[in-house]
C-alpha cells in the first residue's frame, strides 16, 4: 500500500506521534480498513526517510490501542474496529472551581476517566438489544427493589470466583453508584447523629454523603500499612469506612496484621466495617489483594463494589453485600424504596456477564491499564528522575507525586503553559490545609500511552 503522509521535522510533536496520529485517523475515518496489511517497518522507514525506531514506536502504540494487530511471521495488519460512537475526549471538571480554558489543554491527568477507546460498544449494544428483544414489560418499570435477581446471581458467582467472597444473591443490593449506596446504608443503620470513623485522607464523595445525612465524622490518620487502629479505637465510633486493598488516595495496602485487628475491633461490639473495594481489578506488581469480606467469619463487613472503573461510570451501577442480619433488616426497613438503577441496564449487564463478555473485558483492560501505568512510571523516571517521589504506584488508575519544596498552584500554572492540566488531591483531606502543597495527583485512565508520555515530558520541562 502507498503512504501519503508528510512528517514535519520542524514541529514540536515527535515524528512517531505524527505517524501514529495519521494512521489512527485514517483507520477511524475508514480509509484504512480491517485486513489491510501495513508496510514493513524497514520499507516504511526508507520510504519516509526516518529511523526504524520511529516506525516501531508508532506501530507498537497502535497495536496496544487495538488499531493494528501483529501476526507471527505475517506482519502488521489493520484490526477490525468496534463501532464506537463515543467521544474519546474526557469531560473536564475542575474540583476547585478555578477557571481553566479547556481549549488550551491537550493533556488532562484527571482521575476517574476511563479508556473509552477500549470499551466494547458492539458487545454491549448486543446485550442491551437482546434484553429489549425479550419484550419483558418489567424492563420498562421500576424493577425489583434489591435489583435484578438474575444480575445478583451473576454477581454472586463472579465475586466468589474473582474475590473469594461467599454470599447469596439475597445479600446483594444494586445501587446507582457508591454515593447512593452510602445513602442507603445511612438510612438502613439510622446513622444520623451517629459517629462514623473515616480514613483521612479519604474519598470526599462518600464523606460528603455521611456529613449531609447528619453523621458525625471522626477522621483517623493513616500509617504506612493503612488506617491507625489505635486511633480508631479511641473514636468511640461503631462504624468505619475503609479502602483496604488500595487506600484512596494514598495507595497503601492494609497489612494482614491490621486486617485482623480491624476485624477484631468490629467483633468486639455492635460494630460494622464498610469496605469500599473500588478498583481491585487493577493491580500491577502482584496478584489482587484479597478483600476483608473474604476473611469476615463473623459477618461484620459491609462490602461495596462498583462497575465504574472496571466497566463504565455511565452505567451507574454499584452494589452492596450486606451481612445476613442487615439483609433481613433491609427487607423490612427499606421495603418501600424503589430501585435506583434502570432495570434495562441491569438486565443488559447480566447478559453481558453470563456470555463471558465482562470477564474478557476485565482481562483486556488489565493489559490496557498496565501498559498505561508502565508508560506513566517510566516517563516520570525518565523526565523527572529523583526530583520527585512517587506514591501509591502499585495499583489503580492514578498515582501521586511529591514535587519536594514546590507549590501546587505554581506547578499547575507552569503545566498549563505547556497545555497540561494537573490536579491537587487536597480535597480528600478533611482539612484541606493538611494536604502537602507539593502533592500532585495524576490520573491516567483516559489518556493514551502517547499522551501520557508527551504530557509528562512537558511537565518535566516546565517544572525543572
Amino acid at each position: 500500500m502507498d503512504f501519503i503522509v508528510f512528517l514535519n521535522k520542524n514541529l514540536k510533536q515527535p515524528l512517531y506521534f505524527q505517524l501514529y496520529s495519521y494512521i489512527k485517523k485514517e483507520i477511524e475515518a475508514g480509509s484504512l480498513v480491517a485486513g489491510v496489511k501495513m508496510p514493513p517497518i524497514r520499507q516504511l522507514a526508507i520510504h519516509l526517510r526516518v529511523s526504524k525506531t520511529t516506525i516501531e514506536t508508532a506501530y507498537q502504540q497502535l497495536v496496544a490501542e487495538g488499531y493494528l494487530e501483529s501476526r507471527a511471521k505475517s506482519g502488521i495488519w489493520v484490526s477490525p474496529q468496534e463501532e464506537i460512537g463515543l467521544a474519546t475526549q474526557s469531560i473536564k471538571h475542575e474540583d476547585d472551581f478555578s477557571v481553566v480554558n479547556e481549549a488550551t489543554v491537550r493533556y488532562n491527568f484527571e482521575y476517574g476517566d476511563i479508556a473509552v477507546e477500549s470499551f466494547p460498544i458492539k458487545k454491549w449494544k448486543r446485550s442491551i438489544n437482546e434484553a429489549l428483544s425479550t419484550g419483558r414489560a418489567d424492563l420498562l418499570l421500576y424493577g425489583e427493589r434489591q435489583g435484578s435477581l438474575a444480575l445478583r446471581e451473576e454477581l454472586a458467582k463472579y465475586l466468589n470466583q474473582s474475590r473469594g467472597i461467599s454470599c447469596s444473591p439475597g445479600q446483594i443490593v444494586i445501587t446507582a453508584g457508591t454515593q447512593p449506596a452510602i445513602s442507603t446504608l445511612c438510612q438502613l443503620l439510622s446513622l444520623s447523629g451517629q459517629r462514623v470513623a473515616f480514613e483521612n485522607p479519604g474519598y470526599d464523595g462518600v464523606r460528603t454523603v455521611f456529613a449531609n445525612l447528619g453523621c458525625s465524622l471522626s477522621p483517623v490518620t493513616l500509617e504506612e500499612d493503612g488506617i491507625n487502629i489505635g486511633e480508631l479505637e479511641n473514636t468511640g465510633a461503631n462504624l468505619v469506612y475503609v479502602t483496604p486493598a488500595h487506600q484512596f488516595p494514598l495507595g497503601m495496602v492494609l497489612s494482614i496484621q491490621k486486617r485482623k485487628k480491624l476485624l477484631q475491633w468490629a467483633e468486639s461490639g455492635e460494630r460494622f466495617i464498610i469496605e469500599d473495594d473500588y478498583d481491585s481489578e487493577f493491580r500491577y506488581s502482584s496478584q489482587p489483594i484479597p478483600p476483608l469480606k473474604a476473611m469476615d467469619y463473623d459477618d461484620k463487613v459491609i462490602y461495596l463494589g462498583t462497575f465504574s472503573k472496571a466497566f463504565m461510570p455511565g452505567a451507574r451501577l454499584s452494589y452492596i453485600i450486606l451481612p445476613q442480619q442487615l439483609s433481613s433488616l433491609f427487607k423490612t426497613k427499606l421495603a418501600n424504596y424503589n430501585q435506583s438503577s434502570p432495570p434495562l441496564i441491569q438486565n443488559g449487564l447480566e447478559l453481558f456477564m453470563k456470555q463471558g463478555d465482562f470477564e474478557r473485558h476485565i482481562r483486556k483492560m488489565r493489559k490496557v491499564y498496565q501498559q498505561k501505568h508502565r508508560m506513566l512510571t517510566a516517563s516520570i523516571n525518565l523526565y523527572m528522575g529523583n526530583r520527585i517521589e512517587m506514591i501509591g504506584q502499585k495499583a489503580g488508575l492514578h498515582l501521586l507525586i511529591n514535587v519536594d519544596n514546590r507549590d501546587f498552584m505554581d506547578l499547575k500554572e507552569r503545566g498549563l503553559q505547556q497545555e497540561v492540566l494537573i490536579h491537587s488531591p487536597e480535597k480528600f483531606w478533611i482539612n484541606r490545609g493538611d494536604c502537602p502543597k507539593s502533592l500532585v495527583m495524576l490520573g491516567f485512565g483516559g489518556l493514551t500511552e502517547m499522551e501520557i508520555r508527551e504530557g509528562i515530558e512537558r511537565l518535566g520541562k516546565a517544572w525543572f
Side-chain angles (χ1 to χ4, degrees):
M1 61 172 290
D2 293 327
F3 250 71
I4 305 174
V5 54
F6 176 66
L7 302 182
N8 189 344
K9 296 181 180 180
N10 295 321
L11 293 179
K12 290 183 179 181
Q13 282 187 337
L15 296 177
Y16 70 79
F17 190 81
Q18 294 181 44
L19 179 60
Y20 151 83
S21 299
Y22 170 80
I23 297 174
K24 178 180 176 180
K25 182 179 178 181
E26 291 294 292
I27 293 173
E28 290 178 341
S31 301
L32 286 176
V33 297
V36 170
K37 186 175 182 180
M38 300 298 291
I41 291 172
R42 181 180 177 84
Q43 178 185 322
L44 187 56
I46 294 172
H47 175 66
L48 297 178
R49 297 182 181 180
V50 296
S51 70
K52 289 193 294 182
T53 302
T54 295
I55 310 301
E56 286 174 348
T57 305
Y59 275 5
Q60 286 171 2
Q61 178 61 25
L62 291 160
V63 168
E65 294 182 20
Y67 289 95
L68 301 179
E69 58 183 338
S70 178
R71 301 177 187 173
K73 300 180 180 180
S74 179
I76 307 291
W77 299 75
V78 177
S79 302
Q81 299 300 302
E82 296 278 7
E83 297 174 2
I84 299 179
L86 304 171
T88 56
Q89 292 184 343
S90 305
I91 297 174
K92 316 297 191 305
H93 42 88
E94 276 297 281
D95 306 319
D96 56 4
F97 303 102
S98 58
V99 177
V100 174
N101 183 356
E102 295 178 11
T104 66
V105 174
R106 292 182 58 191
Y107 311 91
N108 185 358
F109 286 90
E110 174 80 48
Y111 172 74
D113 291 341
I114 64 167
V116 294
E117 73 277 3
S118 298
F119 185 78
I121 190 70
K122 187 181 294 185
K123 293 177 181 177
W124 176 239
K125 188 187 297 183
R126 182 187 66 196
S127 294
I128 291 294
N129 287 340
E130 186 176 338
L132 285 169
S133 68
T134 63
R136 287 169 44 187
D138 61 309
L139 297 183
L140 307 179
L141 303 176
Y142 294 100
E144 300 170 67
R145 298 192 189 279
Q146 279 186 235
S148 161
L149 176 59
L151 175 58
R152 288 185 281 128
E153 289 172 341
E154 285 299 317
L155 262 175
K157 288 187 287 185
Y158 172 75
L159 290 167
N160 184 255
Q161 294 168 1
S162 66
R163 303 297 286 141
I165 295 174
S166 178
C167 69
S168 70
Q171 291 175 261
I172 300 175
V173 178
I174 305 298
T175 68
T178 299
Q179 289 173 308
I182 295 296
S183 178
T184 297
L185 292 173
C186 284
Q187 295 171 78
L188 180 65
L189 299 173
S190 301
L191 292 179
S192 180
Q194 301 298 309
R195 189 171 297 280
V196 175
F198 200 93
E199 296 172 321
N200 188 35
Y203 177 34
D204 64 320
V206 163
R207 190 175 69 227
T208 300
V209 175
F210 279 130
N212 287 348
L213 293 180
C215 300
S216 175
L217 291 173
S218 293
V220 182
T221 60
L222 299 166
E223 300 174 306
E224 287 187 4
D225 58 348
I227 192 169
N228 186 318
I229 302 296
E231 271 190 36
L232 171 62
E233 291 171 341
N234 292 330
T235 62
N238 289 324
L239 181 74
V240 62
Y241 170 90
V242 290
T243 50
H246 181 223
Q247 199 282 328
F248 187 84
L250 297 185
M252 71 274 289
V253 174
L254 190 67
S255 66
I256 185 63
Q257 294 82 3
K258 284 195 172 179
R259 286 166 183 257
K260 291 177 179 178
K261 288 181 180 179
L262 187 57
L263 289 169
Q264 289 170 359
W265 170 86
E267 292 160 8
S268 65
E270 292 298 315
R271 296 169 174 166
F272 289 102
I273 301 163
I274 298 178
E275 176 183 19
D276 190 347
D277 202 17
Y278 66 99
D279 68 355
S280 59
E281 293 85 359
F282 306 120
R283 189 158 193 85
Y284 310 121
S285 61
S286 66
Q287 293 298 313
I289 304 298
L292 271 177
K293 188 64 181 172
M295 303 169 60
D296 180 29
Y297 303 115
D298 282 338
D299 218 15
K300 291 288 189 174
V301 176
I302 302 167
Y303 181 89
L304 302 184
T306 180
F307 288 95
S308 291
K309 304 294 182 294
F311 190 51
M312 63 170 174
R316 305 314 303 139
L317 276 172
S318 295
Y319 54 91
I320 311 168
I321 300 178
L322 293 170
Q324 287 287 359
Q325 59 179 301
L326 296 184
S327 179
S328 301
L329 180 63
F330 179 92
K331 291 176 174 63
T332 56
K333 190 170 184 178
L334 302 185
N336 292 326
Y337 280 45
N338 286 321
Q339 172 58 221
S340 59
S341 183
L344 175 60
I345 300 298
Q346 293 184 50
N347 190 247
L349 182 58
E350 177 255 321
L351 294 171
F352 195 78
M353 296 180 77
K354 183 175 288 186
Q355 292 157 355
D357 289 328
F358 181 71
E359 289 195 55
R360 281 189 286 271
H361 177 63
I362 290 294
R363 289 196 295 271
K364 174 184 175 181
M365 297 315 297
R366 279 199 190 104
K367 294 178 182 178
V368 168
Y369 289 134
Q370 185 166 44
Q371 289 168 336
K372 292 186 178 189
H373 178 267
R374 284 175 181 165
M375 177 61 78
L376 178 61
T377 55
S379 298
I380 289 172
N381 286 326
L382 178 62
Y383 297 114
M384 299 183 183
N386 59 8
R387 289 170 289 194
I388 63 92
E389 173 194 8
M390 278 189 275
I391 301 169
Q393 70 270 32
K394 294 182 179 180
L397 303 183
H398 80 280
L399 57 79
L400 302 181
I401 58 173
N402 183 18
V403 191
D404 199 24
N405 297 319
R406 301 289 292 275
D407 180 78
F408 174 79
M409 290 309 298
D410 177 61
L411 295 172
K412 180 177 179 179
E413 289 302 319
R414 289 173 181 266
L416 285 172
Q417 291 172 12
Q418 293 292 321
E419 303 177 292
V420 183
L421 181 58
I422 59 170
H423 302 269
S424 169
E426 68 173 11
K427 67 176 184 174
F428 303 118
W429 272 259
I430 288 183
N431 178 3
R432 289 190 175 208
D434 292 338
C435 174
K437 297 300 182 185
S438 54
L439 279 187
V440 175
M441 187 173 192
L442 298 175
F444 59 88
L447 296 171
T448 67
E449 288 182 61
M450 290 300 175
E451 288 170 335
I452 290 169
R453 179 173 176 171
E454 288 275 313
I456 296 300
E457 181 180 9
R458 288 180 177 223
L459 287 177
K461 290 177 180 177
W463 292 352
F464 306 111

